Amino acid sequence: QVQLAESGGSLVQPGDSLRLSCAVSGLPMINYHMGWFRQAPGKEREFVAVSSRPGRYTYYDQSVEGRFTISRDNAKKMVYLQMNSLKPEDTAVYYCASSTAALSAIRQLTMYSNWGQGTQVTVSS
């Protein structure tokens, strides 16, 4: 059974840093692109970042480029999202997901077949 479990969400102040973790089980993570998405209240779920299999490339949404860093440890079956210089607009539930899509499609939410339950990140003073 495939399971993705996010952790690390919290209430932080603007400018703070936070690291999210995603523990993966039930699939050979080395063969999957691993992505982070987020969903703010009243908005659609959106792409944040992805690490292509087995970790060769990383891609980011322009809203987080330069502030967020995605990384993966295939041996430990963990995916991380380091978030720096957090802003109130980063407030959302953050989801980890896996995909086997072509590289050209790995920013697309519909290309991801396995999802975690999400972890809440709130940025507020």
Side-chain angles (χ1 to χ4, degrees):
Q1 182 180 358
V2 177
Q3 286 190 323
L4 283 69
E6 304 92 339
S7 62
S10 182
L11 169 63
V12 296
Q13 294 188 343
D16 284 354
S17 297
L18 199 61
R19 189 176 84 153
L20 304 182
S21 300
C22 175
V24 181
S25 61
L27 58 79
M29 200 181 90
I30 195 168
N31 294 334
Y32 285 76
H33 312 304
M34 299 302 302
W36 286 96
F37 292 77
R38 67 186 180 187
Q39 187 166 16
K43 295 188 177 181
E44 294 186 351
R45 195 170 299 187
E46 63 179 11
F47 168 78
V48 175
V50 61
S51 171
S52 70
R53 61 190 176 194
R56 183 171 297 177
Y57 304 111
T58 57
Y59 302 96
Y60 299 91
D61 183 77
Q62 62 180 20
S63 65
V64 306
E65 185 92 48
R67 299 189 297 123
F68 290 12
T69 303
I70 187 171
S71 61
R72 60 194 287 166
D73 186 329
N74 292 324
K76 294 182 178 179
K77 304 190 81 172
M78 295 292 296
V79 187
Y80 305 100
L81 185 67
Q82 177 66 43
M83 305 186 294
N84 299 329
S85 302
L86 282 161
K87 304 175 181 180
E89 50 263 44
D90 295 318
T91 295
V93 177
Y94 283 72
Y95 297 91
C96 175
S98 65
S99 172
T100 57
L103 270 180
S104 60
I106 60 173
R107 293 172 181 258
Q108 299 176 28
L109 181 150
T110 55
M111 294 292 107
Y112 288 75
S113 54
N114 300 299
W115 293 83
Q117 293 300 307
T119 185
Q120 176 71 47
V121 173
T122 303
V123 185
S124 175
S125 55

